[in-house]
Structures are given as C-alpha cells and as structure tokens.
C-alpha cells in the first residue's frame, strides 16, 4: 500500500471512529506528489447524502487551489 492509499485509509478509519459515515476515504494529489486535500465519508455527520469521501475531498481541493479545475490532480479512493 503506497503512502496515498494509507492516508485515504486513515481518513476512512477516522471517519468511522468519529461516527461521521461509512468506511470510505479519499486523497487528492497534485502532479508533483503533494497531497492537496483529504476527505472521509461525512454523510451521517452532515446529514447530507452528497457528503461522500470523494466529494468532500474534491470540495476541499477546489478551496485549496482556488479553482474548479482539478485536471492536474490524481484522485485516490479507499473503501
């Protein structure tokens, strides 16, 4: 398991431990290998059926980068 997959798994485990949602985690990495954003499933916490790990991570990455264009990023998902 590479470092990005480990980080996605850590996010999934943390989300379960906090009761935020199901066992899902996501990481978004730029082309240089820097982690831009992480997410875990927050459907239960937010009472939002769209708060899946990948969506949480995408929203965070867009905030961090100040753009909706994530074409230079890599998406890692753990379930």
């Amino acid at each position: 398991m590479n470092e990005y997959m480990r980080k996605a798994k850590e996010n999934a485990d943390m989300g379960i431990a906090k009761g935020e949602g199901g066992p899902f985690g996501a990481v978004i990495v730029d082309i240089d290998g820097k982690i831009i954003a992480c997410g875990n499933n927050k459907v239960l916490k937010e009472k939002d059926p769209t708060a899946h790990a990948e969506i949480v991570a995408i929203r965070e990455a867009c905030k961090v980068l100040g753009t909706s264009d994530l074409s230079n990023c890599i998406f890692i998902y753990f379930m």
Side-chain angles (χ1 to χ4, degrees):
M1 185 180 302
N2 71 31
E3 66 178 292
Y4 307 121
M5 186 59 76
R6 268 193 301 282
K7 183 67 174 169
K9 182 183 182 313
E10 287 173 12
N11 281 294
D13 293 342
M14 183 225 14
I16 288 182
K18 290 182 172 183
E20 295 179 342
F24 307 99
V27 174
I28 296 179
V29 181
D30 71 11
I31 57 174
D32 295 321
K34 178 183 172 196
I35 294 175
I36 301 299
C38 298
N40 63 281
N41 186 298
K42 294 186 178 185
V43 170
L44 298 177
K45 177 185 177 191
E46 303 293 331
K47 296 175 181 54
D48 177 357
T50 69
H52 291 257
E54 65 275 21
I55 302 302
V56 171
I58 288 168
R59 289 174 180 156
E60 181 62 25
C62 290
K63 284 181 192 175
V64 168
L65 297 175
T67 181
S68 61
D69 181 6
L70 301 179
S71 60
N72 288 325
C73 295
I74 300 165
F75 179 80
I76 295 96
Y77 185 69
F78 180 86
M79 58 180 243

